[in-house]
Amino acid sequence: MKKIFVIGAGVCGMSSAVQLAEYFQNKNVQVIVIAEKMTPFTLSDLVAGLWSPYLMGNTDPDKIIQWSKGSHKFFHELWINGLAGDSGVTMTPVLGLSTEESRCNPSWRDIPFGFRELTPAEVEKYSKEHGRNYLSGYQFVSFCCQPKKMLPYLTKRFLKAGGKFEQRKIINLEDVTGADLIINCTGLGGKFLGDDLLHPIRGQVTRVKAPWMYSVIIDNSDDGNYIIPNDDSVILGGTHQVDDYNLNVSIPDHDFINAGCQRMVKSLVNAEKVINGVGLRPGRNSVRLETEHRGNGKTTIIHNVGHGGSGVTLSWGCGTEVLERAIDAMNTSAKL
């Protein structure tokens, strides 16, 4: 039996693993996920899970559209097929604002439902409400896909398709023995496996109880905040500090987050704090989704790393391309 090893059990790793396992089921191929940390202890478990492309460096806009559209379609299918509760998918309105005029027309605007630019009068209204000099803004309806629910859902699908898990740390991809194909979904861990372009983008958030909040508000300015409701709490953010490995909660960052979010929505002053959280996003100059051959072609690796702040947004769409590349790699090896 041939073996495909997926390294990493975050939302990108599991999205790839599920599609691989379901495709290769009954084809004499075993898909195995290897990870040091699994849900609920992955970075993915910490995030709000809003579908909205964010912090992807200089990734090709056409690829951003392809991958994020694939994930949006997947979340929509879960939502309309009665699986939203199990998978942690909710539909939510999004309001995006910016102190720059150039940020009201993203390349992915045709993917979400009901995207439109705000009128000058609306921008002026929010500027007065938030105490900011906004120059542009937009609205659309999006999905929140909460990994703390999505990861257990994907795990069940993976096991049902015959997938297996191995919990251990990988030091070198070439030490993964017995693999016909390796899928590298190690996130920031890929930096320590030879990808020097990966770097941390530190994110700190505060979770609060604010059940009256139903819509997302994002200040897309460089020094902006965001408010993202989940089903049991509301995430207030945030920071995007490049090359910062600090996992401790910063009091200045906490104060910046609370002051900025309370300026946008004054009722948050009354919100009960649940917890502060810090995570390191896997930043890169661009998302790396490519096939590499090592050892004179004896080892084939498909890299799927560097998603920045868009791990959830790109997860299923990138997993689909991983599957396409895996099919090609397995067919090629069968001919050798």
Side-chain angles (χ1 to χ4, degrees):
M1 176 175 285
K2 293 189 174 183
K3 293 183 178 180
I4 298 175
F5 288 93
V6 179
I7 316 301
V11 68
C12 289
M14 290 307 301
S15 292
S16 296
V18 167
Q19 295 184 70
L20 288 164
E22 291 180 346
Y23 177 84
F24 285 108
Q25 189 176 17
N26 302 320
K27 291 182 172 65
N28 201 38
V29 176
Q30 177 70 66
V31 181
I32 303 166
V33 170
I34 302 176
E36 181 182 13
K37 294 181 180 180
M38 299 181 183
T39 188
F41 303 110
T42 72
L43 170 64
S44 296
D45 287 281
L46 299 175
V47 305
L50 176 68
W51 183 99
S52 184
Y54 178 60
L55 294 178
M56 291 171 291
N58 296 317
T59 302
D60 182 346
D62 290 337
K63 282 297 187 180
I64 293 174
I65 291 171
Q66 173 190 329
W67 296 328
S68 60
K69 187 175 183 178
S71 297
H72 190 275
K73 180 181 178 182
F74 174 61
F75 300 151
H76 189 205
E77 288 173 349
L78 292 173
W79 190 80
I80 62 176
N81 288 325
L83 296 170
D86 291 339
S87 60
V89 174
T90 56
M91 186 178 282
T92 182
V94 177
L95 171 65
L97 300 158
S98 180
T99 55
E100 298 180 31
E101 292 183 351
S102 61
R103 298 192 179 180
C104 66
N105 189 28
S107 62
W108 44 264
R109 61 180 293 159
D110 293 332
I111 300 173
F113 306 120
F115 185 100
R116 73 171 184 88
E117 295 180 28
L118 298 182
T119 66
E122 290 171 321
V123 172
E124 182 180 1
K125 168 180 173 289
Y126 288 117
S127 292
K128 291 179 180 178
E129 288 182 2
H130 296 181
R132 295 275 276 173
N133 184 27
Y134 294 129
L135 297 179
S136 64
Y138 52 72
Q139 290 181 331
F140 62 91
V141 175
S142 188
F143 293 105
C144 265
C145 170
Q146 300 169 60
K148 67 178 183 178
K149 288 188 175 181
M150 176 58 75
L151 284 172
Y153 168 78
L154 292 176
T155 296
K156 290 178 182 177
R157 278 184 60 167
F158 179 64
L159 293 173
K160 184 178 180 181
K164 294 184 178 180
F165 286 97
E166 292 183 12
Q167 189 162 6
R168 57 189 173 98
K169 185 175 182 178
I170 298 299
I171 304 298
N172 190 324
L173 291 176
E174 292 172 323
D175 292 339
V176 181
T177 58
D180 293 279
L181 178 63
I182 298 171
I183 316 297
N184 173 23
C185 298
T186 54
L188 184 59
K191 181 176 181 64
F192 308 101
L193 295 173
D195 191 337
D196 293 331
L197 293 178
L198 281 161
H199 58 266
I201 304 176
R202 181 181 179 274
Q204 179 170 319
V205 299
T206 299
R207 283 185 179 265
V208 299
K209 292 285 187 182
W212 57 88
M213 290 296 305
Y214 293 97
S215 60
V216 173
I217 304 176
I218 302 173
D219 186 333
N220 287 306
S221 310
D222 288 337
D223 60 345
N225 298 89
Y226 56 81
I227 302 167
I228 304 176
N230 279 177
D231 58 2
D232 60 351
S233 61
V234 177
I235 294 84
L236 311 181
T239 65
H240 44 87
Q241 296 145 337
V242 177
D243 291 326
D244 189 337
Y245 285 91
N246 179 23
L247 287 171
N248 296 316
V249 172
S250 162
I251 298 303
D253 288 342
H254 174 268
D255 293 342
F256 161 76
I257 290 167
N258 283 320
C261 292
Q262 290 170 10
R263 187 187 66 245
M264 291 193 291
V265 179
K266 293 178 175 55
S267 62
L268 290 173
V269 172
N270 300 315
E272 175 190 351
K273 188 181 79 173
V274 177
I275 193 172
N276 292 315
V278 178
L280 304 180
R281 307 178 184 95
R284 202 172 180 277
N285 64 327
S286 63
V287 175
R288 185 185 188 189
L289 210 174
E290 63 183 20
T291 304
E292 178 188 4
H293 301 286
R294 297 184 183 178
N296 295 322
K298 294 180 180 179
T299 302
T300 301
I301 303 169
I302 298 175
H303 298 281
N304 181 25
V305 295
H307 301 91
S310 298
V312 169
T313 300
L314 304 181
S315 57
W316 195 262
C318 283
T320 300
E321 182 166 331
V322 166
L323 174 60
E324 293 168 353
R325 289 173 175 270
I327 293 170
D328 181 64
M330 297 296 277
N331 287 340
T332 299
S333 65
K335 295 174 182 177
L336 298 178

